[in-house]
Amino acid sequence: MSSWNTILYSVPLLIILLVRGCWLVCVEVPSDTEALHGTNMKLTCISCMKREEVNTDTMVEWTYVSNDGKEISIYEYNGEPRELKGPYQGRILWNGSKDLQDVSITIVNVTLNDSGLYRCTIKRYFNYEMHRPSLTDVKEVQLTVHEDEMIYCYRKILKSEEAAQENATDYLAIPSGNKENHSTVPVEE
């Protein structure tokens, strides 16, 4: 009977440990890609760390890539967040987390000129005694800024209607064999 008691008391402890372990999950989510002129836009960049990467120094660089391929550094994190001089100065806020898995930024008061490709580069330097290997992760966000709220809303509604239509056709499909061989049932009043 004593072994059953041990098992019964061990199961709740095991469940508690499993649930606590689940709280430490990092989920990489894509950034929104459309913004309305004059609003604030968060550019999401999440790079989950593995257990062996916890003891690292992290450096982050955000760049804007122009249509001709020229890269403009707009923000960096190297021990602390730092806004860089240039066209985005005074318009970027750091949204990163303390553990530096989320290294997102927000562009304040987006303009049509802010449309384009943004690149988030995360470099992690491991703190080992003998050597210092590194790991680089790059995320990209293609941002489109819309001038008119009506056009922006119309496009969002159109996308959701197209998705709903695709889902509805899955349920409304009638096999072609049933279309020809159905019989008419009289309706009594």
Side-chain angles (χ1 to χ4, degrees):
M1 188 82 157
S2 137
S3 64
W4 281 106
N5 286 338
T6 303
I7 292 172
L8 289 175
Y9 290 115
S10 299
V11 170
L13 179 61
L14 180 62
I15 290 171
I16 290 170
L17 291 174
L18 287 173
V19 169
R20 286 199 76 192
C22 292
W23 289 338
L24 303 174
V25 174
C26 174
V27 178
E28 295 186 23
V29 294
S31 179
D32 285 339
T33 59
E34 295 187 28
L36 184 60
H37 175 79
T39 62
N40 297 347
M41 177 63 186
K42 180 177 180 179
L43 300 177
T44 303
C45 182
I46 297 175
S47 177
C48 296
M49 291 189 291
K50 298 177 184 133
R51 188 171 285 167
E52 63 271 11
E53 296 175 354
V54 170
N55 189 16
T56 61
D57 292 324
T58 302
M59 189 179 104
V60 179
E61 180 183 24
W62 276 94
T63 56
Y64 172 77
V65 182
S66 66
N67 290 335
D68 61 0
K70 182 180 175 187
E71 291 190 28
I72 303 167
S73 293
I74 61 172
Y75 206 85
E76 70 179 18
Y77 181 98
N78 191 2
E80 62 182 47
R82 186 170 75 101
E83 189 175 28
L84 302 175
K85 291 183 180 181
Y88 290 87
Q89 188 172 3
R91 297 182 45 227
I92 297 184
L93 303 173
W94 174 255
N95 288 123
S97 61
K98 285 184 180 182
D99 65 2
L100 296 175
Q101 293 189 78
D102 181 352
V103 292
S104 304
I105 60 173
T106 296
I107 302 174
V108 177
N109 194 22
V110 294
T111 68
L112 296 176
N113 292 332
D114 294 333
S115 291
L117 180 67
Y118 292 83
R119 186 171 293 138
C120 171
T121 304
I122 304 112
K123 291 183 181 179
R124 299 194 195 282
Y125 297 93
F126 295 88
N127 294 318
Y128 297 127
E129 289 181 27
M130 296 304 228
H131 60 92
R132 208 166 167 202
S134 66
L135 178 71
T136 302
D137 192 9
V138 178
K139 312 281 183 182
E140 293 184 341
V141 178
Q142 182 67 46
L143 178 63
T144 304
V145 179
H146 299 280
E147 183 174 14
D148 189 354
E149 186 171 1
M150 292 301 291
I151 293 171
Y152 174 72
C153 290
Y154 175 74
R155 287 183 180 159
K156 284 194 105 77
I157 291 168
L158 185 62
K159 281 183 186 178
S160 67
E161 285 178 355
E162 287 172 354
Q165 183 66 29
E166 286 177 19
N167 289 337
T169 56
D170 292 342
Y171 295 107
L172 297 177
I174 299 171
S176 59
N178 291 347
K179 288 179 183 176
E180 296 172 7
N181 297 330
H182 65 81
S183 58
T184 307
V185 178
V187 178
E188 295 180 19
E189 290 185 25

